[in-house]
Amino acid sequence: MIDLTGRTAIVTGGSRGIGRAVARTLASAGANVAIGYHANQRAAESLVEELRMAGAHAIASAGDTSRRQSVEHLFEAAAAAFGAIDIVVANAGIWRRAAIESMTDEQWGETIDTNLDSAFLICQAAAREMIPRREGRIILVSSTAGQRGEPYYSHYAASKGAIIALTKSLAAELGRYNIRVNAVAPGWVITDMTADVMSDPGFRDAVIRHIPLGRIATPEDVAGPILFLASQLANHVHGEILNVNGGSVLCG
Ligand code: NAP
């Protein structure tokens, strides 16, 4: 029932993890996909190659999404390749441990810049592209950390909580232009981001014990709900924070 043929999507952080699965899922639904990545050129190029081999149209653009110039470059590259941008997934992010009493300005700033400034810049570029056309779908990636907080990751949790507020604010602001704005809030997902902590079997078992569904999410578990939000099936879903956490955080 989902057909995105002829639609164009930008996915930031598309080289690895959740973003990579999102790019694959959107492409398999027919969308042209432009992925943004920071430094991992090999991963980005291998995905583009894979998607093209599968018959999809895909490009990759390198840059730091916390910098305006990089975001403009990503949107320009996508528009040059495919034309109008229909779907934007603001997914790029980092998760780095720092206790509050020793957190440096640089640690705080790096996380807020990468997670929150990036979301602002991506949403602004998306709005500027979509408002004149009176159509678009923006999906942000928050986290359970933004809903319940997370010890030793206060900067990360603050950035993800702010993304929830940003999502609701932009839904209220952009709905009149037929631009739907939603977010997903994943719990633990198996990606490079969590590989270190999950390599400790005791930690991993403790995480699983707190997930009613009894397993940690795969990137594909998050990509499916993002595809839904990007699709016509979600035509009246707007300002929603869609929990993708196996039941670990039960909040509406
Ligand atoms: P990941 O595997 O570490 O991948 C991160 C992606 O973001 C990579 O594509 C990376 O590019 C890109 N990136 C990082 N910093 C960037 C920057 N400054 N500019 C542009 N791109 C940048 O992470 P993930 O687990 O898939 O997480 C994706 C999103 O989901 C993040 O926002 C994260 O906070 C959120 N999330 C993750 C989990 C989880 O358990 N994994 C849970 C909840 C929410 P390179 O490949 O070039 O480095």
Short mmCIF file of all heavy atoms in Angstrom, two decimals, residues 13-19 37-40 63-66 91-94 114 141-143 156 160 186-189 191-194, ligand 1:
data_model
loop_
_atom_site.label_atom_id
_atom_site.label_comp_id
_atom_site.label_asym_id
_atom_site.label_seq_id
_atom_site.Cartn_x
_atom_site.Cartn_y
_atom_site.Cartn_z
N GLY A 13 22.65 11.14 8.30
CA GLY A 13 23.18 9.98 9.02
C GLY A 13 22.80 8.70 8.32
O GLY A 13 22.53 7.68 8.96
N GLY A 14 22.80 8.74 6.99
CA GLY A 14 22.31 7.60 6.23
C GLY A 14 23.36 6.54 5.94
O GLY A 14 23.05 5.50 5.35
N SER A 15 24.59 6.79 6.35
CA SER A 15 25.66 5.83 6.02
C SER A 15 25.63 4.58 6.89
O SER A 15 26.09 3.52 6.47
CB SER A 15 27.02 6.51 6.15
OG SER A 15 27.12 7.19 7.38
N ARG A 16 25.11 4.73 8.11
CA ARG A 16 25.20 3.61 9.05
C ARG A 16 23.91 3.52 9.88
O ARG A 16 23.11 4.45 9.90
CB ARG A 16 26.39 3.80 10.00
CG ARG A 16 27.71 3.72 9.26
CD ARG A 16 28.90 3.80 10.20
NE ARG A 16 29.10 5.12 10.74
CZ ARG A 16 29.13 5.43 12.03
NH1 ARG A 16 28.94 4.50 12.92
NH2 ARG A 16 29.32 6.67 12.44
N GLY A 17 23.77 2.40 10.59
CA GLY A 17 22.74 2.27 11.62
C GLY A 17 21.32 2.51 11.15
O GLY A 17 20.89 2.03 10.10
N ILE A 18 20.60 3.29 11.94
CA ILE A 18 19.18 3.53 11.67
C ILE A 18 19.00 4.23 10.32
O ILE A 18 18.14 3.86 9.52
CB ILE A 18 18.56 4.37 12.82
CG1 ILE A 18 18.54 3.56 14.13
CG2 ILE A 18 17.16 4.85 12.45
CD1 ILE A 18 18.21 4.38 15.37
N GLY A 19 19.84 5.23 10.05
CA GLY A 19 19.71 5.98 8.80
C GLY A 19 19.91 5.10 7.59
O GLY A 19 19.23 5.26 6.56
N TYR A 37 26.13 12.03 5.20
CA TYR A 37 27.00 11.35 6.16
C TYR A 37 28.11 12.31 6.54
O TYR A 37 28.30 13.34 5.89
CB TYR A 37 27.58 10.05 5.56
CG TYR A 37 28.56 10.26 4.42
CD1 TYR A 37 29.92 10.20 4.64
CD2 TYR A 37 28.11 10.55 3.14
CE1 TYR A 37 30.84 10.40 3.60
CE2 TYR A 37 29.00 10.76 2.09
CZ TYR A 37 30.37 10.68 2.33
OH TYR A 37 31.26 10.91 1.31
N HIS A 38 28.84 11.96 7.60
CA HIS A 38 29.85 12.87 8.10
C HIS A 38 31.23 12.55 7.54
O HIS A 38 31.82 13.35 6.83
CB HIS A 38 29.87 12.83 9.63
CG HIS A 38 30.70 13.91 10.25
ND1 HIS A 38 31.27 13.79 11.48
CD2 HIS A 38 31.04 15.14 9.79
CE1 HIS A 38 31.94 14.91 11.75
NE2 HIS A 38 31.81 15.73 10.76
N ALA A 39 31.72 11.33 7.84
CA ALA A 39 33.10 11.00 7.48
C ALA A 39 33.25 9.63 6.84
O ALA A 39 34.26 9.37 6.17
CB ALA A 39 33.97 11.06 8.74
N ASN A 40 32.29 8.76 7.04
CA ASN A 40 32.46 7.37 6.62
C ASN A 40 32.07 7.19 5.15
O ASN A 40 31.02 6.64 4.81
CB ASN A 40 31.61 6.46 7.52
CG ASN A 40 32.09 5.03 7.47
OD1 ASN A 40 32.62 4.57 6.46
ND2 ASN A 40 31.91 4.32 8.57
N GLY A 63 29.34 15.83 4.88
CA GLY A 63 29.33 17.13 5.55
C GLY A 63 28.88 17.00 6.99
O GLY A 63 28.35 15.96 7.40
N ASP A 64 29.11 18.04 7.74
CA ASP A 64 28.71 18.09 9.15
C ASP A 64 27.36 18.81 9.22
O ASP A 64 27.28 20.01 8.95
CB ASP A 64 29.79 18.86 9.93
CG ASP A 64 29.46 19.01 11.40
OD1 ASP A 64 28.32 18.70 11.79
OD2 ASP A 64 30.36 19.44 12.15
N THR A 65 26.31 18.08 9.58
CA THR A 65 24.96 18.67 9.53
C THR A 65 24.74 19.73 10.61
O THR A 65 23.70 20.37 10.62
CB THR A 65 23.87 17.60 9.65
OG1 THR A 65 24.16 16.74 10.75
CG2 THR A 65 23.73 16.79 8.38
N SER A 66 25.70 19.91 11.50
CA SER A 66 25.56 21.01 12.45
C SER A 66 26.07 22.32 11.84
O SER A 66 26.04 23.36 12.51
CB SER A 66 26.30 20.71 13.75
OG SER A 66 27.71 20.70 13.55
N ASN A 91 18.10 12.49 11.09
CA ASN A 91 18.47 11.33 11.89
C ASN A 91 19.88 11.41 12.47
O ASN A 91 20.16 10.80 13.50
CB ASN A 91 18.33 10.08 10.99
CG ASN A 91 19.04 8.87 11.56
OD1 ASN A 91 18.56 8.24 12.51
ND2 ASN A 91 20.20 8.52 10.99
N ALA A 92 20.78 12.15 11.85
CA ALA A 92 22.19 12.15 12.29
C ALA A 92 22.29 12.51 13.76
O ALA A 92 21.61 13.43 14.24
CB ALA A 92 23.00 13.14 11.45
N GLY A 93 23.15 11.80 14.47
CA GLY A 93 23.31 12.12 15.89
C GLY A 93 24.48 11.38 16.50
O GLY A 93 25.04 10.45 15.90
N ILE A 94 24.88 11.84 17.69
CA ILE A 94 25.95 11.18 18.46
C ILE A 94 25.48 10.97 19.90
O ILE A 94 24.58 11.67 20.39
CB ILE A 94 27.26 12.00 18.46
CG1 ILE A 94 27.03 13.43 18.98
CG2 ILE A 94 27.89 12.02 17.07
CD1 ILE A 94 28.31 14.21 19.21
N THR A 114 25.60 18.69 17.26
CA THR A 114 25.39 17.59 16.31
C THR A 114 23.94 17.12 16.32
O THR A 114 23.39 16.80 15.26
CB THR A 114 26.33 16.41 16.64
OG1 THR A 114 27.67 16.90 16.70
CG2 THR A 114 26.23 15.31 15.61
N VAL A 141 14.39 12.24 14.53
CA VAL A 141 14.70 11.07 15.36
C VAL A 141 15.08 11.56 16.76
O VAL A 141 16.13 12.17 16.97
CB VAL A 141 15.82 10.22 14.74
CG1 VAL A 141 16.15 9.04 15.65
CG2 VAL A 141 15.38 9.71 13.36
N SER A 142 14.18 11.30 17.69
CA SER A 142 14.41 11.62 19.10
C SER A 142 14.93 10.37 19.79
O SER A 142 15.69 9.59 19.21
CB SER A 142 13.13 12.16 19.73
OG SER A 142 13.32 12.45 21.09
N SER A 143 14.51 10.14 21.03
CA SER A 143 15.00 8.98 21.79
C SER A 143 14.20 8.89 23.09
O SER A 143 13.70 9.90 23.60
CB SER A 143 16.48 9.18 22.14
OG SER A 143 16.90 8.26 23.11
N TYR A 156 22.92 14.62 25.84
CA TYR A 156 22.20 13.86 24.81
C TYR A 156 20.69 13.90 25.09
O TYR A 156 19.88 14.20 24.19
CB TYR A 156 22.70 12.41 24.82
CG TYR A 156 21.99 11.50 23.84
CD1 TYR A 156 22.36 11.47 22.49
CD2 TYR A 156 20.96 10.67 24.24
CE1 TYR A 156 21.71 10.65 21.59
CE2 TYR A 156 20.31 9.83 23.35
CZ TYR A 156 20.69 9.82 22.02
OH TYR A 156 20.05 8.99 21.13
N LYS A 160 17.66 15.50 22.82
CA LYS A 160 16.55 14.68 22.30
C LYS A 160 15.20 15.16 22.84
O LYS A 160 14.17 15.03 22.16
CB LYS A 160 16.79 13.21 22.65
CG LYS A 160 17.99 12.60 21.90
CD LYS A 160 17.80 12.64 20.40
CE LYS A 160 18.95 12.03 19.63
NZ LYS A 160 18.74 12.02 18.19
N PRO A 186 13.07 6.17 19.47
CA PRO A 186 13.51 4.78 19.69
C PRO A 186 14.06 4.59 21.10
O PRO A 186 14.59 5.52 21.71
CB PRO A 186 14.65 4.60 18.65
CG PRO A 186 14.56 5.77 17.72
CD PRO A 186 13.94 6.87 18.51
N GLY A 187 13.94 3.35 21.58
CA GLY A 187 14.71 2.93 22.75
C GLY A 187 16.04 2.39 22.26
O GLY A 187 16.58 2.85 21.24
N TRP A 188 16.57 1.38 22.94
CA TRP A 188 17.85 0.80 22.52
C TRP A 188 17.74 0.18 21.13
O TRP A 188 16.79 -0.56 20.85
CB TRP A 188 18.30 -0.28 23.50
CG TRP A 188 18.70 0.25 24.84
CD1 TRP A 188 17.95 0.22 25.99
CD2 TRP A 188 19.94 0.88 25.18
NE1 TRP A 188 18.65 0.81 27.01
CE2 TRP A 188 19.87 1.21 26.55
CE3 TRP A 188 21.10 1.20 24.47
CZ2 TRP A 188 20.92 1.85 27.23
CZ3 TRP A 188 22.14 1.83 25.13
CH2 TRP A 188 22.05 2.14 26.49
N VAL A 189 18.73 0.48 20.29
CA VAL A 189 18.79 -0.10 18.94
C VAL A 189 20.21 -0.61 18.73
O VAL A 189 21.18 0.05 19.13
CB VAL A 189 18.47 0.97 17.86
CG1 VAL A 189 18.39 0.32 16.48
CG2 VAL A 189 17.17 1.71 18.19
N THR A 191 23.24 -0.76 16.91
CA THR A 191 23.98 -0.05 15.85
C THR A 191 25.41 0.17 16.37
O THR A 191 25.73 -0.17 17.51
CB THR A 191 23.36 1.34 15.55
OG1 THR A 191 23.56 2.18 16.69
CG2 THR A 191 21.88 1.26 15.23
N ASP A 192 26.22 0.80 15.55
CA ASP A 192 27.58 1.15 16.00
C ASP A 192 27.54 2.02 17.25
O ASP A 192 28.43 1.95 18.10
CB ASP A 192 28.32 1.92 14.90
CG ASP A 192 28.61 1.06 13.68
OD1 ASP A 192 28.49 -0.18 13.78
OD2 ASP A 192 28.94 1.64 12.63
N MET A 193 26.50 2.85 17.36
CA MET A 193 26.39 3.77 18.49
C MET A 193 26.37 3.04 19.83
O MET A 193 26.91 3.52 20.82
CB MET A 193 25.12 4.62 18.32
CG MET A 193 24.90 5.66 19.38
SD MET A 193 23.43 6.65 19.06
CE MET A 193 24.07 7.91 17.96
N THR A 194 25.73 1.89 19.84
CA THR A 194 25.54 1.17 21.10
C THR A 194 26.41 -0.09 21.19
O THR A 194 26.31 -0.83 22.18
CB THR A 194 24.06 0.76 21.25
OG1 THR A 194 23.67 0.01 20.09
CG2 THR A 194 23.16 1.97 21.39
P1 NAP B 1 25.24 5.47 14.29
O1 NAP B 1 25.16 4.05 13.90
O2 NAP B 1 26.34 5.92 15.19
O3 NAP B 1 25.26 6.36 12.95
C1 NAP B 1 25.30 7.77 13.09
C2 NAP B 1 25.11 8.39 11.73
O4 NAP B 1 25.10 9.82 11.90
C3 NAP B 1 26.22 8.08 10.76
O5 NAP B 1 25.68 8.00 9.47
C4 NAP B 1 27.15 9.29 10.89
O6 NAP B 1 27.94 9.53 9.73
C5 NAP B 1 26.12 10.40 11.08
N1 NAP B 1 26.66 11.58 11.76
C6 NAP B 1 27.18 11.66 13.01
N2 NAP B 1 27.58 12.90 13.27
C7 NAP B 1 27.31 13.64 12.16
C8 NAP B 1 27.49 15.00 11.80
N3 NAP B 1 28.05 15.89 12.63
N4 NAP B 1 27.11 15.40 10.55
C9 NAP B 1 26.56 14.52 9.69
N5 NAP B 1 26.33 13.23 9.98
C10 NAP B 1 26.72 12.80 11.20
O7 NAP B 1 23.90 5.96 15.03
P2 NAP B 1 22.44 5.30 15.09
O8 NAP B 1 22.41 4.40 16.26
O9 NAP B 1 22.02 4.82 13.77
O10 NAP B 1 21.58 6.60 15.50
C11 NAP B 1 20.86 7.35 14.55
C12 NAP B 1 19.94 8.31 15.31
O11 NAP B 1 19.08 7.55 16.16
C13 NAP B 1 20.68 9.28 16.22
O12 NAP B 1 20.06 10.54 16.19
C14 NAP B 1 20.54 8.65 17.59
O13 NAP B 1 20.62 9.60 18.63
C15 NAP B 1 19.15 8.05 17.48
N6 NAP B 1 18.90 6.97 18.43
C16 NAP B 1 19.70 5.87 18.45
C17 NAP B 1 19.45 4.87 19.39
C18 NAP B 1 20.31 3.63 19.49
O14 NAP B 1 20.16 2.87 20.48
N7 NAP B 1 21.19 3.35 18.53
C19 NAP B 1 18.38 5.01 20.28
C20 NAP B 1 17.57 6.14 20.20
C21 NAP B 1 17.85 7.11 19.27
P3 NAP B 1 29.36 8.73 9.50
O15 NAP B 1 29.01 7.32 9.14
O16 NAP B 1 30.00 9.45 8.37
O17 NAP B 1 30.10 8.82 10.78
#
